[in-house]
Amino acid sequence: MADLTADLGFIKLKNPVIPASGTFGYGGEFLQFFDLDLLGAFVMKGVYTDERGGNEPPRIWETPSGLLNSIGLAGPGAEGLKKIIKDVASKTSTPIIVNVCGGTDEEYLEVARVLDVMKEVAMLELNISCPNVRAGGSCPAQNSSDTKRVVKLVKENTKKPLIVKLSPNVSNISSIACSAEEAGADAISVVNTFLGLALDIEKRKPVFKNFFAGLSGPAIKPLALKIVWEVANAVSIPVIGIGGIMTGRDVLEFILAGASAVQTGTVNIVEPTGSVRIINETRELMDKLKINKLEEIRGCLEI
Amino acid sequence: MKEEECRVAANTNIQGRYYLMKIESEYISEKSDPGNFVMIAVSGSNDPLLKRPFGIFKIDSPYFYIYYEVVGRGSKLMASKKEGDRVMVVGPLGNAFPKYENENMLFVGGGRGIAPLYFAIEKYSGSNNISLIYGGRSKDDLLFTEELKQFPLNEAAFYTDDGSGFKKGLVTTDIKEIIERNGINVTFSCGPDKMFESLNEEIGSLGIRNFVSLEAFMGCGFGICYSCVVKGSDGKYKKVCSDGPVFRMEEIKWQT
């Protein structure tokens, strides 16, 4: 039977499937559906220092094979999250990744410091790419200098491995990924959602109060796959591929494009047991294609 | 709750845009209480992507029933399901109406909002004195009135906006008299937002216990996507799917 181990260098995961931030709650919500130990790891919903209510509804809009969201990172704040983390960690041995948000450099630092002392947290994922919290969808991941500054600041103040989650809404993602790598990132996760616009023709208004929203789901898979390929060829740290993964075949495509692991997103919303199905499908497809280990195909695209 | 593939045992067009789907699931039919809902994959493909929420209308183990109106793409696909088709279902979801005994209760249903109330009447009419107010746009939108009359109800009042088939009026038209006449101290209601707004104005300050079951466009149905929120009277957002769908009327910040 195929070995699904995903080696990120600083940690070995039992399989490459990691439910993504914002699509998996705080993990505990899924215990009623399956054993979290089945997952490679999981990412908790993004957190700021303080409690946040999130954006004014509507917050989601369905598109062909996709989903636009403008949730706005609702959450309990870093201190409030600590209890939730401890509770979930007592029910699983799967590595917990927490998605770190910030409105300012200081806030990123503060959240990272709160989480840094928690033994239950295996890794941090620095969210410098959420499109739904600042005007016009702006974020630090939009340019190299902001990316470098924020990553360096957080990396210097945490002992945890730091994954940096980047935005696809840029002209040259490879250069931004290189900036994150230079600043000390241990891994890159790509991509966050693509900025999109939903319109209401009757009211002649945008659907979302925040105007733009983030597109996810199978609709973005080819776009994400291209970015993973580009970034994996630009950096030497591990890349975690994200974007519309719905099947085991999708997982192997991202690995082939150069990803060391993947994050599943929208599938967790539409199919609560989807990530487990995807793990099983990945194993079955590897067996069928006679792939013993992910390393055998990672980045080995024949061109 | 769990996610399972279920067999569609029947899918009947009752009248106009209204359908009744009978789905086989021992788990859901045994675990569900009035107010609970299920999420159903209407397409079996990536488009449309999201499952759709449907309130549970009736249980006849191992079957449960969904009463739905075709209003958009999702419900249109639901209507195309045939006996023997298989659908992915997540449920039962959400909280339920609270359980009462020996209370004088009033159930208020607007249109397809009768669904969870039908289940509640079936389950609770033996142990409580229940009265019913049920309204819709026209007689074609007011289904199951004969079936509802079969239950031991203290009083049943039916209304249509246009006066077709039943008394012309809204669910609020005679509500205060009905509450007084039957000594009502608990109400359960389900219907469109506009109905809740007028109910809140009419009965929100009578000092009785009012429970509403809200409808919302949902992403996940079990509290992880944070998309189906409504503003609470405390200024905080509440998730319709997992904090509700049943709320005390005063927990919600109404527009009026």
Side-chain angles (χ1 to χ4, degrees), chain B residues 57-175:
Chain B
F57 172 76
K58 197 167 91 152
I59 298 282
D60 182 11
S61 190
Y63 303 102
F64 68 94
Y65 291 79
I66 299 299
Y67 166 50
Y68 62 99
E69 180 181 2
V70 173
V71 289
R73 197 167 160 228
S75 45
K76 199 171 173 182
L77 281 164
M78 273 285 278
S80 69
K81 303 285 176 203
K82 301 273 182 294
E83 182 191 342
D85 283 356
R86 315 213 42 113
V87 286
M88 289 303 289
V89 182
V90 181
L93 298 162
N95 62 2
F97 285 110
K99 288 189 181 73
Y100 283 106
E101 272 181 33
N102 305 314
E103 291 279 6
N104 296 323
M105 307 178 77
L106 173 65
F107 291 180
V108 184
R112 62 178 185 263
I114 197 67
L117 300 173
Y118 191 101
F119 186 10
I121 290 174
E122 195 172 57
K123 191 150 176 172
Y124 300 140
S125 58
S127 49
N128 293 279
N129 302 311
I130 293 174
S131 298
L132 171 71
I133 298 179
Y134 180 20
R137 282 165 294 206
S138 74
K139 66 173 173 25
D140 296 333
D141 301 291
L142 216 60
L143 279 68
F144 304 108
T145 50
E146 288 309 312
E147 288 86 344
L148 286 161
K149 285 181 196 163
Q150 304 305 311
F151 292 106
L153 298 172
N154 267 21
E155 181 172 355
F158 302 102
Y159 302 89
T160 51
D161 294 357
D162 62 2
S164 59
F166 301 91
K167 185 173 172 180
K168 183 176 165 70
L170 303 171
V171 295
T172 45
T173 303
D174 306 308
I175 194 164

Side-chain angles (χ1 to χ4, degrees), chain A residues 23-54:
Chain A
T23 66
F24 204 65
Y26 301 100
E29 297 92 331
F30 283 79
L31 283 165
Q32 56 206 330
F33 295 111
F34 60 85
D35 184 350
L36 297 178
D37 287 353
L38 293 168
L39 301 168
F42 63 90
V43 192
M44 286 195 175
K45 188 169 167 58
V47 65
Y48 286 90
T49 46
D50 297 322
E51 185 178 345
R52 287 215 174 195

